[in-house]
Amino acid sequence: MAVYTEIADEELERFLAGYELGALLSVKGIAEGVENSNYLIVTEAGPHILTLYEKRVDPTDLPFFIGLMEHLAARGLTCPQPVRNRAGEALGVLAGRPAAIVTFLEGMWIRRPRVEHCAQVGEALAQLHLAGEGFAIHRRNALSVDSWRPLFQRSEEGADTVLPELGAAILRELDHLEQNWPRDLPAGVIHADLFPDNVFFLKGHLSGLIDFYFACNDFLAYDVAIGLNAWCFEADGALNITKARALLAGYQRVRPLGADEIAALPLLARGSALRFLLTRLYDWLNVPPGALVAPKDPLEYWRKLRFHQSVDDAGAYGMDL
Amino acid sequence: MAVYTEIADEELERFLAGYELGALLSVKGIAEGVENSNYLIVTEAGPHILTLYEKRVDPTDLPFFIGLMEHLAARGLTCPQPVRNRAGEALGVLAGRPAAIVTFLEGMWIRRPRVEHCAQVGEALAQLHLAGEGFAIHRRNALSVDSWRPLFQRSEEGADTVLPELGAAILRELDHLEQNWPRDLPAGVIHADLFPDNVFFLKGHLSGLIDFYFACNDFLAYDVAIGLNAWCFEADGALNITKARALLAGYQRVRPLGADEIAALPLLARGSALRFLLTRLYDWLNVPPGALVAPKDPLEYWRKLRFHQSVDDAGAYGMDL
């Protein structure tokens, strides 16, 4: 929870009166989610999640995010479903911010993922890629290869205070990625942030995906690379090849990867590692005063990047070539 | 939320297996409560609150807090009720910390209390004082008059950086309070922290009291003085005498104050204002690195203290004398 907006009582009641959810019985701020303020509200219609979109989210992107959740849910993917108010709108204004109510998903995110979780995440990611087909709105990936150099320039001055020579190493990596980034791979809607805290499990089974606020259109295999980075490394920084194999096999059971995607995987994994290194580096060097969230260690993604730099082909991730 | 302990999945499941609550369906950290980590858990038995007691709570006090909630609930006060595990224990260990599960109370705390809320808070405070009679465990108020000078000494050096001459003014107030603090007023179990975020309302009616982790034995009228400070001042620092009159009248409908208590009220209000000034001053000057909570403004309580210093008798709080 980065920002936490206090909602005045009367304002919340007025907002909820626009919905067919009955009286409000409870509201609690949730200490999760970095970009927005989230509240678990209980009304006579049961529990729901109320989200206030804080300033890091571009309001013009909200119809994409809200529409995508509706599109995916209609195609059988378990994800929060926006609740429309009496006027038929899924997006309102509360406490001066865009706000939406979505359905409550049962399940818990897994603090220490095991191989069986990685397999299910791979499957769910492929299901998401298939379910996203036909979604009418398009959202460019604002955090893809062409954004990384300008993003780095905002942290360049402080980079070497985090690790000696880090700045020069990032510049070399930027050169390499910009020159070699694929131009033509199967593309579609990707989640782009499928970390463990965005995947719920219930009694060992994946019960839903949440937090679509980085979703965009990009190469589907780039989402797989993000998943490898997010799920398949151990706390000591080493890849767990058994987890990687399980994630990739799970994905391919639902949507087999093409030869071009498999060949590109190490480079996509480097790009994905650099993307999270750069945003974490920026957050690390720019903790706002009064911030309610501790910044995440950027060097975790530096170590992942170094690993992917040493990889020759997707066999290093347990893929049968 | 000051501290936020991550609980490993297996550990939480093992802990819950000791209770008759069925399978765990959801767990969310709650962004409220400064002293402890609180989670809203949903199990097959419904929603409950799981609290991990962090290091600011003395574990030897926990039997008092847990026992008090059971005692009060048994006497009809609506407050969280500790859930005992299969072994009959209300207190366990989770993630290396003492932990307890309590029942979930419906209701919301009021961000902007109105007169009618203050009246109900007065009534509930008196009901709490009556319901606390006969509770067998005794807990001294660790934040009463004899603790204030040593507490101030830990902030003395930085006090004038917050406001010029603040240190000298606090020393003068300490002298006055130590010399004049009452010795013999009706005493019993007090809540000692009945701020708006610890009182729930549902559809305009008070629905329960929470957070008994400052409760102790002290003068009952001191709790009333804390209530005046917590509920009856406006954002501009002025007392709202209509709210104060409502809170006091509500209290007296359930438990009439004695003449000695009424006479002591201005002094008790000064003491209560100083107590919160001192703890906030300490927190303000000692924000731990990585703290997840913004410290509260100590000067809010300096202004309240100055007001009470100007008061001759409880008539200033709307009391008919």
Side-chain angles (χ1 to χ4, degrees), chain B residues 9-310:
Chain B
D9 318 306
E10 301 81 3
E11 214 176 346
L12 179 56
E13 278 173 20
R14 211 179 312 126
F15 181 78
L16 283 169
Y19 289 80
E20 293 191 355
L21 292 173
L24 182 63
L25 303 179
S26 170
V27 55
K28 300 209 183 292
I30 300 176
E32 291 181 8
V34 170
E35 302 294 315
N36 301 311
S37 296
N38 291 302
Y39 307 83
L40 175 56
I41 59 171
V42 181
T43 70
E44 288 169 341
H48 288 80
I49 302 290
L50 165 67
T51 299
L52 264 56
Y53 299 99
E54 302 290 349
K55 62 171 186 279
R56 279 177 82 151
V57 172
D58 181 346
T60 64
D61 284 334
L62 290 172
F64 175 90
F65 301 139
I66 298 286
L68 177 62
M69 285 189 274
E70 289 183 328
H71 179 93
L72 295 174
R75 274 152 194 78
L77 197 92
T78 310
C79 67
Q81 203 160 354
V83 177
R84 292 181 172 266
N85 64 17
R86 296 181 208 270
E89 286 158 0
L91 205 55
V93 173
L94 181 56
R97 289 154 177 80
I101 295 174
V102 300
T103 52
F104 177 82
L105 283 195
E106 286 186 349
M108 284 81 62
W109 70 268
I110 301 290
R111 272 66 180 174
R112 299 183 195 165
R114 297 190 301 270
V115 173
E116 60 267 32
H117 301 119
C118 296
Q120 295 182 62
V121 165
E123 283 178 12
L125 193 59
Q127 284 158 357
L128 164 69
H129 291 167
L130 296 182
E133 286 176 10
F135 180 52
I137 316 180
H138 195 276
R139 179 174 182 261
R140 174 184 96 74
N141 186 354
L143 285 171
S144 188
V145 60
D146 48 343
S147 74
W148 295 336
R149 191 176 293 270
L151 179 57
F152 173 61
Q153 283 161 354
R154 297 169 67 190
S155 310
E156 191 163 4
E157 211 176 86
D160 290 0
T161 65
V162 177
L163 185 76
E165 313 284 339
L166 181 62
I170 290 175
L171 283 172
R172 281 193 304 276
E173 182 66 16
L174 281 169
D175 289 343
H176 180 81
L177 291 173
E178 285 168 355
Q179 281 161 33
N180 296 284
W181 198 247
R183 295 177 173 273
D184 188 26
L185 289 175
V189 174
I190 69 168
H191 185 284
D193 195 40
L194 201 64
F195 277 72
D197 55 341
N198 289 332
V199 181
F200 284 180
F201 286 83
L202 202 52
K203 300 178 187 178
H205 296 286
L206 195 150
S207 62
L209 308 180
I210 66 164
D211 200 346
F212 289 80
Y213 301 110
F214 286 97
C216 55
N217 292 76
D218 204 339
F219 300 140
L220 301 180
Y222 180 60
D223 223 9
V224 178
I226 292 171
L228 286 173
N229 278 320
W231 288 84
C232 304
F233 283 80
E234 297 302 318
D236 66 0
L239 179 81
N240 181 323
I241 195 171
T242 314
K243 290 183 177 175
R245 183 181 289 122
L247 187 144
L248 291 171
Y251 188 91
Q252 298 217 89
R253 272 196 292 279
V254 178
R255 177 184 173 268
L257 291 162
D260 50 349
E261 294 178 291
I262 293 170
L265 211 47
L267 192 82
L268 296 171
R270 283 171 72 158
S272 152
L274 184 71
R275 171 253 182 271
F276 289 102
L277 168 59
L278 291 176
T279 48
R280 287 190 176 190
L281 181 65
Y282 180 82
D283 290 344
W284 188 267
L285 295 171
N286 296 276
V287 178
L292 293 176
V293 77
K296 291 177 181 159
D297 180 13
L299 295 181
E300 178 190 338
Y301 272 83
W302 166 246
R303 290 186 288 270
K304 291 177 181 176
L305 174 58
R306 298 266 292 166
F307 172 80
H308 297 302
Q309 287 173 339
S310 76

Side-chain angles (χ1 to χ4, degrees), chain A residues 1-38:
Chain A
M1 177 199 54
V3 194
Y4 182 66
T5 300
E6 280 287 352
I7 312 172
D9 318 305
E10 301 81 2
E11 215 176 346
L12 180 55
E13 278 173 20
R14 212 178 313 126
F15 181 78
L16 283 168
Y19 290 80
E20 294 190 352
L21 292 172
L24 182 63
L25 303 179
S26 170
V27 53
K28 299 205 185 293
I30 301 176
E32 292 180 8
V34 170
E35 301 294 314
N36 302 311
S37 296
N38 291 301

Side-chain angles (χ1 to χ4, degrees), chain A residues 167-182:
Chain A
I170 289 175
L171 283 172
R172 281 194 303 276
E173 182 67 14
L174 282 170
D175 290 342
H176 180 80
L177 292 173
E178 286 168 354
Q179 281 162 33
N180 296 283
W181 199 248

Side-chain angles (χ1 to χ4, degrees), chain A residues 5-7 11-12 14-16 18-19 21 36-39 41 48-55 57-63 65-66 69 81-85 88-103 213:
Chain A
T5 300
E6 280 287 352
I7 312 172
E11 215 176 346
L12 180 55
R14 212 178 313 126
F15 181 78
L16 283 168
Y19 290 80
L21 292 172
N36 302 311
S37 296
N38 291 301
Y39 307 82
I41 59 171
H48 288 81
I49 301 290
L50 165 68
T51 299
L52 264 57
Y53 298 99
E54 303 289 350
K55 61 171 187 277
V57 172
D58 182 346
T60 64
D61 284 334
L62 290 172
F65 301 139
I66 298 285
M69 287 190 272
Q81 202 160 354
V83 177
R84 293 183 172 264
N85 63 19
E89 287 157 1
L91 203 56
V93 173
L94 181 56
R97 290 156 177 79
I101 295 174
V102 300
T103 52
Y213 301 109

